Amino acid sequence: MKKGNRVFKTAMLSTISMASLGVGSVAYAQDELPQAEESAVDEDVIIVTATKREQTLQDVPVAVSVTSAAAIERAQVRDLKDLQTLVPSLRVSQLQSSASTDFIIRGFGNGSNNVGIEGSVGVFIDGVYRSRSAAAISDLPNLQRVEVLRGPQSTLFGKNASAGVISIVTAEPRYEFGGSAELSYGNFDAIVAKADVTGPIGENIAFSLAGGINKRDGYGTNLTDGSKTSERDRWYARAQLLIEPSENVKFRIIGDYDKIDENCCFVGNVRAGATPTGAINAIGGRINPNGIFSYSEYQNFPSQNNIKNGGVSVQADFEFGAFKLTSISAYRESRAKTNADSDFTSADLIGENRGDVDIKTKTQELRLTSDFEGPFNFLIGGYYFDEDIGNKQALTTGRDFRNYANLLSGGNYAGLEATIRALAGLPAATPATQFGAAGQGRFEDWDYKNKAYSVFGTADFEITESLTLTGGFNYTKDKKDVASNTVVTDVFSNIDLVQVGANAGIPAVFPAGTFGPGQTSPLYPRITRCPAPAPVPAVTGTCNPFLPLQAFQFQPQFLNFPNAVEDGKTRDSKWTYSVRLAWEATDNLNLYLSYGTGFKATSWNISFDSRPFVADFVAGSPAQGAPLTASPIRTAGLALPNLRSGTRYALPENATVMEAGLKARWDRVAFNLTVFDQSIKNFQGNSFLGSGFVLTNAGKQSTFGIEFDGSVRPVDGLQFTAGFTYLDPKYDSYVGSAFGDISGQQPAGISELSATLGANYTHEFAGGTALILSTDFYHQAKVLINDNPAYRIYKREVNDLSASATLRLENGLQFTLWGRNLTNARYLQTIFPSVIQGDDIFGPGNGSISGYPSAPRTYGVAVKYKF
């Protein structure tokens, strides 16, 4: 093994060179490098530019998949969502909006549906952390490679990532003038155009400029007006300066801006519950019951996804003697405005579901690395993170909601309104204040501040020339301050129906055994409901006829904080560490053993679904009396009608991983094998129940896994690749999930077997012309797609075939014919209870289910010119 700082972060962030077609750790450089660079690089080595040393990826004793720009180009990967078809241990899903993307490595990942949750998988672009998925999903810019580091990465990255890291590395400016321009056209009128140029400004200054657009008609159809959904409408611009005043000093300055303005994302009907569907049809609405893969739905208005990202970063490198000092300073802003007709019917049940998230992030990283000739080398660094988030959300009732609720309640929602108002002491209704009037709802305004710092480092000690011991550490201190200002105007949801019954003379507490099964209130289990919502029994004290209407109290008053009981603050700190032993058994075979820990700080529930912890509040009506009503919030006089307990935040995640790896490489064959056992205690789960999300901690989630990727070149010009990931995941303990105790259950969405298979053939003609044929197959074995035990009949299996053919001419022109998902495979990405139509209202098996389908077949042609 070569001397020097070969396991340090510089090798991970900015030095591992071109790699595989999907299983990148093992591919050969001959068809991966830009054409102008092929002759300059030995195909069997990887250039470590930060240390000015040559080092093969085989020497890096970590589980990492590296995918080159050429492999991404051949597969027509347009954004991070498509990258999973090349890396079997990675799963990426885009769900309710263009701003909601989940990154999952080895079955661990979360974060997209709540801005208060940082992902367990960290995304870095040129060393700069992107804390939220909306700030990381733009089209891939002028790429050099994408690295997927699997498992906790605390000692290499200052901001802890408890499940892994996606590191995107773009090309630096060059002192030789050059560039490229590309235009692609495909079905759905897809147009992708991008260009880049680089060259010298002076002897010690180089620049690069890049930009592109990505447009495509949607593959989903809104049957209400014929408009399209799941479209693409994006553009980006990027500028760089490389300044090298001397051979020991380098500055890299990057500025970028991108914008997304599109109608996303298509949702289809998986199961149409008879009762909610009948009610919607009865009030004049429409639902498409023909199945999710018709790619057609009903909505009242197009979804809005307006996302703007921008920022600037400065990386400074100073070399002095055997040391290198690196500083990365960055400032970023991200703004996401969204709106959707979230009931996915032509009935106007949900008026608007608006979001406006504004994220401002400042980061500073400083690290010092050594490059001694002796057996010892080290890296030491510090990281500072400062983020402010403003989050404004609004959900309003539509003009058809009142009729919908009234029909489902047998006429009681409107028919009992005058009685309920009188018993509750409310004035007579007006058109604007009647139960379920259009425009009523919740209006949220959140302020979130997060400051964190880390100190981290690694040290190498060469026990012998072939045996190296590495130790690493990270200390993180994290501070979060959260404040809410939510106003609720939903009149009916703010009425205590238990108290209304008590005011009518109905006792709030009945003798045990008075009522049979199924006759208790889901919110107040000690208060009975009438056996049926209609006809309304006489008010005789035998039951409370108002309690069945609780199912329509979706938006009760919200207890804002900080308050006298809840301070809105969390303070976390944690030491994490790693130990690794790497052995260069032969020139062709490396092995390593490692143990590491990781950490992710508290995640806050920044949404209307945030509720006081049960230790602070016990739900109940004052009409019930003690002991249910005894709690600090009630004692402080802060209790509100229909206030429920839940969670304000999820506790920190603590990850551990044991790993053994083997990396082998010969002239024509190479492979990597990793065996690991990884777990996260207090995994932060965020589940949707149909009328809101529930943020909880799993006691422990674990996965045993085996990862293999290999490459073989039977003859010059022909390369076969394969990658396999076997996972055996389970919730070791998850007592308090949104679905009850699901301990021992396999987590949804984590396939037992994922595989990528690829073939690439390059035929060189006389005169420098080349024909490149490439194909990739991606497979996920059948897997559950929702943790809800009632949905276990719904599973997903993925079989995705992509291919391309490129003719590359000597003059720099190349022509490509490409296709993705050529077999038009159809599968469900995820499913969820239909909004205000699900099992949470109508009971298990009776509600409707919605879901996100896979994208259909896409294909097209592209022309590119390199100069």
Side-chain angles (χ1 to χ4, degrees):
M1 187 178 292
K2 292 181 172 62
K3 294 181 173 66
N5 55 338
R6 49 193 166 270
V7 299
F8 296 137
K9 178 178 180 181
T10 50
M12 297 295 97
L13 284 177
S14 56
T15 65
I16 302 176
S17 186
M18 307 304 173
S20 88
L21 177 63
V23 283
S25 327
V26 295
Y28 298 86
Q30 64 174 23
D31 57 43
E32 298 167 345
L33 295 171
Q35 188 171 339
E37 299 178 8
E38 289 183 3
S39 62
V41 181
D42 184 339
E43 68 177 27
D44 290 327
V45 299
I46 290 172
I47 303 302
V48 182
T49 56
T51 60
K52 306 297 190 294
R53 293 176 183 271
E54 295 183 347
Q55 180 186 26
T56 64
L57 184 59
Q58 174 186 343
D59 287 337
V60 181
V62 295
V64 55
S65 297
V66 186
T67 307
S68 72
I72 288 172
E73 179 181 320
R74 285 194 298 267
Q76 289 296 303
V77 170
R78 300 294 173 80
D79 58 26
L80 284 177
K81 180 175 176 288
D82 297 329
L83 187 64
Q84 62 184 328
T85 60
L86 300 180
V87 182
S89 290
L90 173 68
R91 181 168 174 254
V92 186
S93 59
Q94 186 179 81
L95 301 178
Q96 67 206 49
S97 74
S98 299
S100 299
T101 304
D102 280 327
F103 304 104
I104 298 170
I105 295 177
R106 289 177 171 174
F108 299 99
N110 51 25
S112 71
N113 287 313
N114 192 319
V115 72
I117 305 175
E118 291 183 62
S120 299
V121 175
V123 178
F124 292 76
I125 300 180
D126 289 321
V128 177
Y129 178 55
R130 304 291 181 93
S131 64
R132 301 299 188 276
S133 64
I137 61 170
S138 61
D139 284 15
L140 300 176
N142 192 15
L143 271 179
Q144 188 173 357
R145 65 191 175 274
V146 178
E147 306 161 11
V148 179
L149 288 81
R150 309 186 293 271
Q153 302 298 326
S154 61
T155 60
L156 290 175
F157 293 81
K159 185 68 174 176
N160 266 321
S162 54
V165 162
I166 300 173
S167 177
I168 300 170
V169 181
T170 67
E172 288 187 353
R174 300 200 303 265
Y175 288 99
E176 180 181 355
F177 184 75
S180 67
E182 180 180 358
L183 178 64
S184 175
Y185 180 79
N187 60 330
F188 301 107
D189 282 333
I191 297 176
V192 175
K194 52 188 177 182
D196 63 272
V197 61
T198 185
I201 295 178
E203 183 179 355
N204 299 316
I205 304 176
F207 80 98
S208 69
L209 298 172
I213 62 170
N214 183 350
K215 292 180 176 289
R216 185 198 68 203
D217 291 344
Y219 55 77
T221 301
N222 183 353
L223 296 173
T224 303
D225 59 8
S227 62
K228 297 296 184 179
T229 185
S230 286
E231 65 181 10
R232 282 285 186 267
D233 192 353
R234 308 176 174 189
W235 65 268
Y236 70 89
R238 184 179 176 88
Q240 294 190 67
L241 278 178
L242 181 65
I243 305 172
E244 297 180 286
S246 69
E247 63 178 10
N248 296 323
V249 179
K250 181 174 75 171
F251 298 93
R252 186 184 182 191
I253 304 170
I254 304 174
D256 67 273
Y257 181 83
D258 61 81
K259 183 176 180 180
I260 297 174
D261 187 3
E262 56 196 30
N263 183 351
C264 183
C265 303
F266 174 80
V267 171
N269 195 284
V270 177
R271 184 184 75 193
T275 301
T277 300
I280 289 169
N281 290 335
I283 63 175
R286 299 287 299 278
I287 290 178
N288 179 16
N290 294 325
I292 190 170
F293 296 112
S294 68
Y295 294 101
S296 55
E297 62 179 350
Y298 286 94
Q299 285 185 293
N300 297 325
F301 58 87
S303 296
Q304 175 191 0
N305 294 268
N306 191 319
I307 304 167
K308 301 176 182 177
N309 288 305
V312 61
S313 66
V314 179
Q315 177 171 334
D317 296 298
F318 306 91
E319 295 186 25
F320 47 97
F323 299 99
K324 180 177 181 179
L325 179 66
T326 297
S327 169
I328 302 178
S329 309
Y331 175 78
R332 299 203 60 81
E333 292 188 5
S334 178
R335 185 77 178 267
K337 291 185 177 181
T338 59
N339 193 12
D341 178 22
S342 297
D343 58 70
F344 307 111
T345 75
S346 67
D348 190 17
L349 306 180
I350 300 295
E352 291 186 307
N353 185 4
R354 299 194 310 269
D356 186 352
V357 180
D358 189 9
I359 305 174
K360 295 180 173 64
T361 308
K362 298 185 286 288
T363 59
Q364 173 62 55
E365 183 170 357
L366 196 66
R367 62 180 185 266
L368 178 68
T369 62
S370 70
D371 190 15
F372 301 132
E373 291 298 322
F376 175 76
N377 274 286
F378 70 87
L379 175 151
I380 188 75
Y383 184 83
Y384 176 73
F385 178 84
D386 187 344
E387 184 168 72
D388 290 339
I389 298 178
N391 180 29
K392 295 182 179 180
Q393 305 284 328
L395 181 70
T396 62
T397 53
R399 61 183 180 275
D400 294 328
F401 176 81
R402 178 177 169 87
N403 291 336
Y404 177 71
N406 196 48
L407 181 64
L408 290 173
S409 65
N412 294 332
Y413 186 78
L416 290 178
E417 179 171 4
T419 301
I420 292 173
R421 282 179 172 273
L423 292 170
L426 296 177
T430 68
T433 63
Q434 66 180 351
F435 293 171
Q440 294 182 14
R442 64 193 191 221
F443 304 88
E444 308 168 49
D445 190 354
W446 296 83
D447 182 61
Y448 171 101
K449 299 183 184 301
N450 180 200
K451 293 185 177 181
Y453 69 83
S454 300
V455 179
F456 59 95
T458 60
D460 276 355
F461 180 73
E462 292 186 355
I463 301 172
T464 68
E465 287 190 359
S466 60
L467 190 65
T468 301
L469 178 66
T470 300
F473 77 95
N474 180 298
Y475 175 76
T476 294
K477 192 173 183 65
D478 186 276
K479 178 176 73 172
K480 293 184 173 74
D481 296 276
V482 182
S484 67
N485 181 20
T486 295
V487 177
V488 179
T489 62
D490 187 323
V491 176
F492 180 67
S493 294
N494 293 329
I495 297 175
D496 180 351
L497 294 177
V498 177
Q499 185 65 59
V500 166
N503 293 345
I506 301 172
V509 180
F510 295 86
T514 301
F515 300 94
Q519 295 180 323
T520 58
S521 163
L523 179 58
Y524 306 113
R526 293 174 60 191
I527 309 300
T528 63
R529 65 163 69 190
C530 295
V536 180
V539 182
T540 62
T542 59
C543 64
N544 185 332
F546 309 111
L547 293 187
L549 298 175
Q550 287 178 335
F552 305 102
Q553 293 186 313
F554 299 111
Q555 302 184 98
Q557 291 187 48
F558 185 87
L559 180 61
N560 287 304
F561 63 91
N563 54 53
V565 176
E566 303 169 296
D567 62 8
K569 302 176 185 292
T570 53
R571 303 292 186 264
D572 302 315
S573 60
K574 184 72 174 181
W575 285 95
T576 56
Y577 62 92
S578 64
V579 180
R580 180 170 57 244
L581 188 65
W583 177 38
E584 184 182 17
T586 70
D587 290 341
N588 306 107
L589 184 65
N590 286 19
L591 300 96
Y592 68 91
L593 292 170
S594 67
Y595 179 85
T597 63
F599 170 76
K600 190 181 81 169
T602 296
S603 286
W604 279 82
N605 192 348
I606 303 182
S607 76
F608 187 74
D609 307 306
S610 173
R611 299 284 186 267
F613 288 103
V614 69
D616 294 326
F617 181 72
V618 178
S621 169
Q624 294 176 260
L628 279 180
T629 56
S631 64
I633 284 177
R634 196 175 299 280
T635 300
L638 299 174
L640 299 171
N642 299 329
L643 181 65
R644 307 182 189 187
S645 58
T647 62
R648 293 294 195 192
Y649 53 81
L651 297 173
E653 293 182 350
N654 293 286
T656 60
V657 61
M658 294 182 289
E659 190 169 291
L662 181 153
K663 298 190 176 188
R665 184 184 181 100
W666 292 272
D667 289 341
R668 293 190 177 274
V669 177
F671 69 89
N672 300 328
L673 179 66
T674 306
V675 180
F676 67 89
D677 191 353
Q678 185 171 331
S679 65
I680 293 183
K681 292 183 178 179
N682 292 329
F683 180 77
Q684 297 166 357
N686 195 35
S687 303
F688 183 67
L689 297 183
S691 56
F693 286 89
V694 178
L695 178 63
T696 57
N697 284 109
K700 182 181 179 182
Q701 179 181 338
S702 65
T703 300
F704 169 80
I706 302 172
E707 297 165 324
F708 171 87
D709 55 82
S711 174
V712 59
R713 289 189 302 171
V715 296
D716 290 346
L718 178 62
Q719 180 179 357
F720 296 105
T721 59
F724 300 94
T725 297
Y726 167 80
L727 301 176
D728 182 18
K730 68 175 178 178
Y731 289 125
D732 301 83
S733 174
Y734 203 170
V735 176
S737 85
F739 313 108
D741 187 355
I742 57 173
S743 301
Q745 181 173 307
Q746 177 180 336
I750 306 175
S751 179
E752 185 177 78
L753 177 65
S754 299
T756 60
L757 301 173
N760 186 61
Y761 176 69
T762 301
H763 180 76
E764 300 282 353
F765 297 95
T769 298
L771 176 65
I772 303 171
L773 304 177
S774 179
T775 184
D776 300 286
F777 178 73
Y778 174 60
H779 170 73
Q780 277 188 13
K782 190 173 292 186
V783 64
L784 299 170
I785 53 179
N786 192 292
D787 280 331
N788 189 337
Y791 291 172
R792 296 184 70 84
I793 64 172
Y794 298 100
K795 298 182 179 181
R796 177 184 66 238
E797 182 177 2
V798 180
N799 293 289
D800 191 314
L801 177 67
S802 300
S804 68
T806 299
L807 181 65
R808 189 179 66 198
L809 306 181
E810 185 181 14
N811 61 7
L813 272 173
Q814 64 182 48
F815 302 90
T816 300
L817 178 67
W818 60 269
R820 293 186 60 81
N821 188 19
L822 289 173
T823 60
N824 206 27
R826 296 178 174 183
Y827 53 90
L828 293 168
Q829 294 191 67
T830 191
I831 59 174
F832 58 92
S834 301
V835 177
I836 60 174
Q837 304 161 64
D839 288 358
D840 56 321
I841 298 175
F842 299 99
N846 298 317
S848 296
I849 299 175
S850 299
Y852 295 93
S854 58
R857 177 194 298 118
T858 55
Y859 51 86
V861 296
V863 58
K864 185 173 185 177
Y865 177 64
K866 296 182 180 181
F867 57 92

